[in-house]
Amino acid sequence: MVSEHSDATDDEMSTLALKILVAGGFGVGKTTLVGAVSEIRPLRTEELLSEAGQLVDDTDGVDQKVTTTVAMDFGRITIRSGLSLYLFGTPGQDRFWFLWDELSQGALGAVVLADTRRLEDCFPAVDYFEHRHIPFVVAVNCFAGARAYGAQGVSRALDLDEGTPVVLCDARDRESGKEVLIRLVEYAGRMHTARLLDSVS
């Protein structure tokens, strides 16, 4: 006879949990995306912007922003039965980048959020994941009033490696964010499979 405890353990073992990073520049919508898609109350480490921070944080284009992530955001979403994603939102300012190495350990891949009004702000995240061979997708957060750019235009502007997906999204919308995560999981799966085949050929 199988106990209830054993059943719970079997269920947990049959669930695949994948670690995903959500990165990008300051004020691009990382905390918003994690909060929108998470099925649990997201863990946030936000603090009010201080006068001292104004000297180092570029708030042009995000004048209404009053808080900033100082460690990470954390959330969880079930994509389908047996597949859950654990989301880790990274801080955007360069003075917190020392946390990225810790957060990226064991990650399947990353979402790099981009704002076309401040596209250059996501260059550091793109460079970080490219140099560490961590699969990523660029998700263009379509802010109201921002000039619309197509996926190909953003890809060229960021000089992305061929095949790196660029998707348009609304970080406030759960279904839009979920589609971004599905695209990432599919892309990362293809990349990891290709590397595995290369290693045995």
Side-chain angles (χ1 to χ4, degrees), residues 103-126:
L103 291 174
S104 65
Q105 291 295 319
L108 173 78
V111 173
V112 176
L113 270 179
D115 178 351
T116 57
R117 300 169 302 179
R118 298 155 55 101
L119 199 57
E120 67 280 0
D121 288 359
C122 69
F123 273 116
V126 168

Side-chain angles (χ1 to χ4, degrees), residues 169-198:
C169 74
D170 181 344
R172 302 165 299 178
D173 182 76
R174 175 180 170 82
E175 288 306 312
S176 181
K178 187 175 179 179
E179 282 301 314
V180 170
L181 296 172
I182 291 172
R183 284 287 300 276
L184 171 62
V185 171
E186 292 173 345
Y187 175 65
R190 293 195 301 270
M191 293 293 290
H192 285 292
T193 299
R195 290 171 186 170
L196 181 62
L197 292 175
D198 285 344

Side-chain angles (χ1 to χ4, degrees), residues 105-148:
Q105 291 295 319
L108 173 78
V111 173
V112 176
L113 270 179
D115 178 351
T116 57
R117 300 169 302 179
R118 298 155 55 101
L119 199 57
E120 67 280 0
D121 288 359
C122 69
F123 273 116
V126 168
D127 289 344
Y128 182 90
F129 297 121
E130 282 185 344
H131 288 132
R132 287 160 181 78
H133 305 290
I134 297 174
F136 68 95
V137 301
V138 173
V140 180
N141 194 6
C142 299
F143 287 92
R147 183 177 172 186

